[in-house]
Amino acid sequence: MAMSEAAASAGFEPVRIGIVSISDRASTGVYEDKGLPALKDWLAQALQNPLHFEARLIPDERPLIAATLRELVDEARCDLVLTTGGTGPAPRDVTPEATLDVADREMPGFGEQMRQISLRFVPTAILSRQTAVIRGKALILNLPGQPKSIAETLEGLKSPTGEVLVSGIFAAIPYCIDLIGGPYLETREDRIKAFRPKNAVRVRPQA
């Protein structure tokens, strides 16, 4: 039985996730895109739900980015959309602007926490303009462009003994999606432990 089939048979809700890599050079084949594989691998390892991915590789064009985000939420019915790339101060970095173009509401805490995590590794994290928004019943998040930074941002920072020093942003994503009417995301706690208030935690029946 495939992993997604096993997850479905165990009663985990299916989740549709949009993953968007935004890069002029990768989208034209100048170099290999590493953002989409990094996102897909991390999510597959972190979530127990059966996952369906909608992947897009596009250039740094604000109207195209906004149109892609709308399509993923409104037509592909994604519950969560993660972008990678295009969040710095360079003139062609327009992912945050395009993300805000499609927003019903902004969720600034995600961007604040991403910068706090990245500042533990590089002082240039203050140049990042990542943001997050809600559109309909979907959460859209901007992530860094490098696979290592993607994992650090999602997982946070732990000590050599496993103590959580800085919480990764993914710990808050399942509950956020609960609150906006999406599916119940269940994480693998050895990778990332989702935080929910006690009254929001579903008790899984014992086998």
Side-chain angles (χ1 to χ4, degrees):
M1 184 180 293
M3 182 182 296
S4 60
E5 293 173 345
S9 68
F12 297 107
E13 293 185 38
V15 181
R16 299 180 68 85
I17 302 179
I19 50 175
V20 187
S21 186
I22 300 161
S23 167
D24 286 333
R25 289 179 290 175
S27 65
T28 55
V30 174
Y31 61 73
E32 179 184 4
D33 172 67
K34 295 183 179 179
L36 294 176
L39 285 171
K40 187 177 289 188
D41 289 349
W42 192 91
L43 291 162
Q45 292 176 39
L47 287 168
Q48 300 189 67
N49 304 70
L51 305 178
H52 172 80
F53 291 104
E54 292 282 346
R56 305 287 188 271
L57 175 58
I58 58 175
D60 294 275
E61 298 289 349
R62 182 171 174 175
L64 177 59
I65 299 168
T68 300
L69 298 178
R70 290 189 188 98
E71 180 256 326
L72 287 170
V73 174
D74 301 350
E75 298 176 31
R77 300 297 176 188
C78 291
D79 308 295
L80 173 66
V81 178
L82 302 177
T83 74
T84 175
T87 59
R92 293 287 292 173
D93 290 336
V94 293
T95 300
E97 286 77 15
T99 302
L100 292 170
D101 288 343
V102 308
D104 293 332
R105 287 179 289 170
E106 189 175 3
M107 300 291 289
F110 283 105
E112 293 164 5
Q113 183 64 7
M114 283 189 267
R115 284 180 281 277
Q116 285 298 314
I117 295 167
S118 297
L119 278 167
R120 295 292 189 112
F121 299 96
V122 290
T124 52
I126 59 174
L127 304 180
S128 170
R129 301 185 303 111
Q130 291 139 310
T131 191
V133 305
I134 292 170
R135 178 178 177 84
K137 293 184 177 181
L139 176 64
I140 304 173
L141 282 153
N142 303 151
L143 296 174
Q146 298 299 317
K148 182 175 182 291
S149 298
I150 290 171
E152 291 166 351
T153 298
L154 293 171
E155 291 183 36
L157 179 63
K158 295 180 180 178
S159 71
T161 60
E163 178 189 1
V164 176
L165 301 176
V166 183
S167 294
I169 63 164
F170 206 88
I173 287 176
Y175 186 50
C176 180
I177 292 179
D178 292 350
L179 293 173
I180 60 178
Y184 191 86
L185 273 62
E186 302 193 49
T187 60
R188 292 186 173 88
E189 294 190 4
D190 58 339
R191 193 63 186 261
I192 183 81
K193 180 176 172 60
F195 174 82
R196 288 181 170 97
K198 289 183 180 179
N199 63 358
V201 176
R202 294 184 187 176
V203 179
R204 181 164 291 282
Q206 296 295 319

